[in-house]
Amino acid sequence: MMDMERVNAYMARVGAAQEQTFLPASGKLKVGLDLGTAYIVMVVLDEENNPVACEKQAASVLRDGVLIDYAGALQIVRALKEKLEKRIGRELEQCAIAMPAGTESSTRAHQYVAEGAGFEVTAVLDEPSAANAVYQIENGVVVDIGGGTTGLAILRDGKVCRIEDEPTGGTHLTLVLAGNYRIPFEEAESIKQDYARHKEIFPVVRPVIEKMAGIVNRYVDKTETETIYLCGGTCCLTGIEEVFQRETGIKTIKPADPFLVTPAGIAMNCKL
Ligand code: ATP
């Protein structure tokens, strides 16, 4: 079972590292770079995985998990790296990167962006497996719902035995909201991210969430799976876990703040 208290305490510290810079406990620094469909996030940890600093920026340089704007991505990654280096007062050298399962063909593109910004890429992972560095579950399924994709990693005895990814994510929820309310995408996006309005928008986005739960149903053996562990920005949506639980019949849990789990997990996997 996942130790929810530990995960929540750790993620609260990663969240706080967006505003505050924590003094690293020891020598080298680990960096996790998450080039996402909706956000580019960079997390810095010390050698003992204590959060040091974190920066993010909204971006549209990927579509369905595939990089479509190399120059734009490079510019943002450079800017985030510079900001973090200024905050920490040190140069960042090594980084780990991750991508949605099944888009391994774009590994190179992600790597070139990181290298172009001056990083040495020391580890390449898939997103849901990276998230499990934070969760540390032995058995169950990690479901990472980002902006453009829903990825899952099935774990047996601490080993990833299957990874899958499909191009449905938070962007689709926003599109459905924009269509229903007849408002621009940006406005729908800010309504969606407003916790005070989650209850009101839920019936509108529910069918898309059911579709996401259907992805899990397709790949997961219910007789063998006890728990679904959610992460990714889209899982901030209040009540999403209940739809997953109802649609799959599998107990579903998420931490208090699921947004930075994958970027933090990527950083944990950075080899020094
Ligand atoms: P991908 O992994 O698919 O390439 P990404 O890495 O950019 O995308 P995340 O950063 O995990 O994905 O999540 C981004 C998504 O989370 C966006 O669609 C955003 O609208 C959504 N999101 C962020 N905060 C909230 C919130 N409070 N409520 C609902 N959705 C949210």
Side-chain angles (χ1 to χ4, degrees), residues 78 80-93 117 119:
R78 274 195 181 133
L80 293 179
K81 182 172 183 277
E82 251 171 53
K83 257 193 208 169
L84 286 166
E85 288 176 336
K86 217 177 223 168
R87 280 177 59 185
I88 303 166
R90 279 172 55 183
E91 200 185 334
L92 299 171
E93 291 167 8
F119 280 118

Coordinates of all heavy atoms in Angstrom, one line a residue, residues 78 80-93 117 119:
R78 N 15.4 26.6 -21.4 CA 16.5 27.5 -21.0 C 16.1 28.5 -20.0 O 16.9 28.7 -19.0 CB 16.9 28.3 -22.3 CG 17.9 27.5 -23.1 CD 18.6 28.5 -24.1 NE 19.5 27.7 -24.9 CZ 19.6 27.8 -26.3 NH1 18.8 28.6 -26.9 NH2 20.5 27.1 -26.9
L80 N 13.6 28.4 -17.7 CA 13.4 27.7 -16.4 C 14.7 27.4 -15.8 O 14.9 27.5 -14.6 CB 12.5 26.5 -16.6 CG 11.1 26.7 -17.1 CD1 10.4 25.4 -17.2 CD2 10.3 27.6 -16.1
K81 N 15.6 26.8 -16.6 CA 17.0 26.4 -16.0 C 17.7 27.7 -15.4 O 18.2 27.6 -14.3 CB 17.8 25.8 -17.1 CG 19.2 25.3 -16.7 CD 19.8 24.5 -17.8 CE 21.1 23.9 -17.4 NZ 22.3 24.8 -17.6
E82 N 17.6 28.8 -16.2 CA 18.3 30.0 -15.7 C 17.7 30.5 -14.4 O 18.4 30.9 -13.5 CB 18.1 31.1 -16.8 CG 19.5 31.4 -17.5 CD 19.2 32.3 -18.7 OE1 18.6 33.4 -18.5 OE2 19.7 31.9 -19.8
K83 N 16.3 30.5 -14.4 CA 15.6 30.9 -13.2 C 16.0 30.1 -12.0 O 16.3 30.7 -10.9 CB 14.1 30.7 -13.4 CG 13.3 32.0 -13.7 CD 11.8 31.7 -13.5 CE 11.0 32.6 -14.4 NZ 9.6 32.2 -14.5
L84 N 16.1 28.8 -12.1 CA 16.4 27.9 -11.0 C 17.9 28.1 -10.6 O 18.2 28.1 -9.4 CB 16.2 26.4 -11.4 CG 14.7 26.0 -11.5 CD1 14.5 24.7 -12.2 CD2 14.1 25.9 -10.1
E85 N 18.7 28.3 -11.6 CA 20.2 28.5 -11.2 C 20.4 29.8 -10.5 O 21.2 29.8 -9.5 CB 21.0 28.4 -12.5 CG 21.1 27.0 -13.1 CD 21.8 27.0 -14.4 OE1 21.9 28.0 -15.2 OE2 22.3 25.9 -14.8
K86 N 19.6 30.8 -10.8 CA 19.7 32.0 -10.1 C 19.2 31.9 -8.7 O 19.8 32.3 -7.7 CB 18.8 33.1 -10.8 CG 19.4 34.5 -10.8 CD 18.6 35.4 -11.6 CE 19.5 36.3 -12.5 NZ 18.6 37.0 -13.4
R87 N 18.1 31.1 -8.5 CA 17.5 30.9 -7.2 C 18.5 30.1 -6.3 O 18.6 30.4 -5.1 CB 16.2 30.2 -7.3 CG 15.0 31.1 -7.7 CD 13.7 30.2 -7.9 NE 13.4 29.5 -6.6 CZ 12.4 28.6 -6.5 NH1 11.6 28.4 -7.6 NH2 12.1 28.0 -5.4
I88 N 19.1 29.1 -6.9 CA 19.9 28.2 -6.1 C 21.4 28.7 -6.0 O 22.1 28.4 -5.0 CB 19.9 26.8 -6.7 CG1 18.5 26.3 -6.8 CG2 20.7 25.8 -5.9 CD1 18.3 25.0 -7.7
G89 N 21.7 29.5 -7.0 CA 23.1 30.0 -7.0 C 24.1 29.0 -7.4 O 25.3 29.1 -7.1
R90 N 23.7 28.0 -8.2 CA 24.6 27.0 -8.7 C 24.1 26.6 -10.1 O 22.9 26.7 -10.5 CB 24.6 25.8 -7.8 CG 25.4 26.0 -6.6 CD 25.3 24.9 -5.7 NE 25.5 23.5 -6.3 CZ 25.3 22.4 -5.6 NH1 25.0 22.4 -4.3 NH2 25.6 21.3 -6.2
E91 N 25.1 26.0 -10.9 CA 24.7 25.6 -12.2 C 24.1 24.2 -12.1 O 24.5 23.4 -11.3 CB 26.0 25.5 -13.1 CG 25.7 25.5 -14.5 CD 26.9 25.3 -15.4 OE1 28.0 25.6 -14.9 OE2 26.8 24.8 -16.5
L92 N 23.1 23.9 -12.9 CA 22.5 22.6 -13.0 C 23.1 21.9 -14.2 O 23.1 22.4 -15.3 CB 20.9 22.8 -13.1 CG 20.2 23.5 -12.0 CD1 18.8 23.8 -12.4 CD2 20.4 22.7 -10.7
E93 N 23.5 20.6 -13.9 CA 24.3 19.9 -15.0 C 23.5 18.7 -15.5 O 23.3 18.6 -16.7 CB 25.6 19.5 -14.4 CG 26.5 20.7 -14.2 CD 27.8 20.5 -13.4 OE1 28.0 19.3 -13.1 OE2 28.4 21.4 -13.0
A117 N 19.6 23.0 -23.9 CA 19.6 24.0 -22.8 C 20.8 23.8 -21.9 O 20.9 24.5 -20.9 CB 18.3 23.8 -22.0
F119 N 21.9 20.7 -20.5 CA 21.9 19.6 -19.6 C 22.6 18.4 -20.2 O 22.6 18.1 -21.4 CB 20.5 19.2 -19.3 CG 19.7 20.0 -18.3 CD1 18.6 20.7 -18.7 CD2 20.2 20.0 -17.0 CE1 17.9 21.5 -17.7 CE2 19.5 20.8 -16.0 CZ 18.4 21.5 -16.4

